[in-house]
Amino acid sequence: MLTDYSRIVVAYDHSELSKKALKMAMNLSKQDKQIELLVVMVTQPERPMVYSYGYAFEAYHEKQREEVKAIRNELEQELELLPNKTRTFAVEGNPGHMIVEFVKQNDADLVVMGSRGLSGLKELFLGSVSHYVVQKAHCPVFIVK
Ligand SMILES: Nc1ncnc2c1ncn2[C@@H]1O[C@H](COP(=O)(O)OP(=O)(O)O)[C@@H](O)[C@H]1O
Ligand SMILES: [Mg+2]
């Protein structure tokens, strides 16, 4: 059954649930070293996660790029623990659209992601990105909560 999922994509935003999703996907991948694990992070250059006044856009953008690089390094160290083929990706754009597109382009068999992310809004069960991906992805979506 597990070998049906030979290419797994983790949607990662550095939230606690996305870390849990990564762990889950790594455990799934350990079942078979033929499984490929791709981790995708989408940044929105026009929408800072933390707004700081007085920040020029370019300076902000540069800081965001550095943060993404640091997170990718962290991820890559963790992924090295697996015998599987793994890769991390950082793309810019609308997270839901970019994740669905990435999953399609890479012909993934499974997406693993959190039910919630960084927004901190708790009134709905699913965050907007996970809601969008569940509806639009061509393959099964494993929602971690
Ligand atoms: N920018 C992003 N890049 C990659 N994955 C993301 C991104 N934003 C959200 N996700 C994925 O979607 C899950 C749910 O997040 P989201 O729908 O944004 O909820 P919230 O509304 O609480 O932020 C996260 O745990 C993560 O797996
Ligand atoms: Mg979010």
Side-chain angles (χ1 to χ4, degrees), residues 33-141:
K33 67 174 190 300
Q34 296 294 99
I35 296 172
E36 265 179 46
L37 185 56
L38 312 181
V39 182
V40 64
M41 246 192 304
V42 186
T43 56
Q44 290 169 284
E46 75 287 3
R47 195 184 323 155
M49 282 170 190
V50 182
Y51 236 111
S52 34
Y53 283 98
Y55 241 127
F57 179 80
E58 272 313 312
Y60 168 73
H61 204 194
E62 186 51 36
K63 186 168 176 267
Q64 192 182 45
R65 261 198 296 266
E66 275 166 24
E67 273 169 12
V68 167
K69 209 165 131 189
I71 295 170
R72 279 181 82 179
N73 286 340
E74 211 177 274
L75 283 171
E76 276 160 19
Q77 276 182 24
E78 200 171 340
L79 289 167
E80 266 176 29
L81 302 171
L82 289 175
N84 306 63
K85 191 169 160 197
T86 65
R87 259 190 95 176
T88 68
F89 298 82
V91 295
E92 281 184 0
N94 174 284
H97 297 173
M98 295 310 286
I99 293 165
V100 168
E101 193 53 32
F102 182 88
V103 165
K104 192 163 87 187
Q105 294 290 326
N106 287 283
D107 197 22
D109 308 296
L110 179 70
V111 186
V112 185
M113 66 196 303
S115 58
R116 306 305 319 238
L118 293 166
S119 86
L121 297 172
K122 298 276 184 261
E123 61 269 22
L124 297 171
F125 169 65
L126 279 183
S128 58
V129 176
S130 37
H131 185 242
Y132 184 86
V133 174
V134 165
Q135 282 189 313
K136 303 283 184 183
H138 74 276
C139 68
V141 182

